[in-house]
Amino acid sequence: SLIGRLMFELPEEMGLIAVAVRQTQGKGRGGNVWLSPMGCALSTLHLSIPLHSNLGQRIPFIQHLVSLAVVEAVRSIPGYEDIELRVKWPNDIYYSDLMKIGGVLVNSTLIETTFHILIGFGFNVSNSNPTICINDLIAKFNREEGTELKALSADCLIARTVTVLERLIEVFQEKGPNGVLPQYYKYWVHSGKQVRLRSEDGPAAWIVGIDDYGFLQVHQEGRGVESVHPDGNSFDMLRNLIVPK
């Protein structure tokens, strides 16, 4: 990709963002195809993270910070705090726990002592298809609450996401995971949810939180708390399953 080639030719401290109006060859996790119609906010952001920093030692956390930044971009606007936008571990943005509204994909390359991170994120802003979009949620909120919140633009939300992300990274670098987790948990869809391990009739476990490296923690009766890795598991929220891939 163009941005992948460009990122090594720019001054070290300069960030780079590419914003697409429409995307034709989107990629999701595990080789999934990401479809991006008009009205979707799409961008790829380049960041440099020192290996010997709090975040450099916990690179999987970046996708959680980006997901949180997207949700915060909307819910930190005065009046928009109760728009039901949430994060789903490891890398999705959801309407409540009902429907996917966006996603995040992170690629990292370690060169000497610096991680070069490419963050792709996309979320539905004004396109009601294929699922639902942020402006639909705002319109629904206005109808139900009698408010007159304005629709938001993709450009505004991309800019806000990047600004919030910069702040979250600063906090993480200073305080580690505990600096951001309370906010993450406030917006995530998994609190108190029960899942099945390995198969539909497998043992029940409760989602506890995420560990210091960003992996999901589940509590199984008599087994204590264990961490589950996203790359070795597909977390099928519709069936509440955690299964090894």
Side-chain angles (χ1 to χ4, degrees), residues 23-36 88 90-92 100 103-105 107 230 233-235 245:
Q23 183 176 301
T24 51
Q25 293 178 304
K27 291 183 175 58
R29 245 168 38 113
N32 293 334
V33 176
W34 176 263
L35 299 173
S36 310
K88 174 183 162 243
N91 63 338
D92 289 333
K100 181 167 172 169
V104 174
L105 189 68
N107 284 313
N233 299 270
S234 63
F235 181 25
K245 266 191 173 164

Side-chain angles (χ1 to χ4, degrees), residues 13 16 20 55 59 103 128-129 155 168 177 179 187 217 219 222 226 234:
E13 54 289 345
L16 177 70
L55 194 49
I59 286 296
S128 298
N129 291 317
D155 290 354
L168 288 171
Y187 292 133
Q217 291 177 307
H219 180 260
E226 50 189 335
S234 63

Side-chain angles (χ1 to χ4, degrees), residues 199-218:
S199 70
E200 290 193 33
D201 50 6
W206 279 263
I207 294 177
V208 180
I210 57 181
D211 68 15
D212 266 2
Y213 293 90
F215 299 126
L216 197 69
Q217 291 177 307
V218 296

Side-chain angles (χ1 to χ4, degrees), residues 110-128:
L110 181 61
I111 298 176
E112 292 171 356
T113 58
T114 304
F115 276 108
H116 289 269
I117 314 286
L118 276 183
I119 299 165
F121 60 92
F123 47 94
N124 299 338
V125 180
S126 57
N127 53 306
S128 298

Side-chain angles (χ1 to χ4, degrees), residues 154-172:
D155 290 354
C156 154
L157 288 180
I158 289 171
R160 288 186 66 88
T161 298
V162 174
T163 305
V164 172
L165 179 62
E166 284 178 336
R167 195 186 73 237
L168 288 171
I169 289 172
E170 272 173 29
V171 171
F172 194 100

Side-chain angles (χ1 to χ4, degrees), residues 71 73-84 134-135 138 141 148-152:
V71 171
V74 174
R75 297 187 68 165
S76 63
I77 303 172
Y80 293 74
E81 297 90 347
D82 295 324
I83 301 295
E84 264 297 294
I134 289 168
N135 285 336
I138 294 168
F141 186 82
E148 293 183 8
L149 299 177
K150 291 188 168 61
L152 300 170

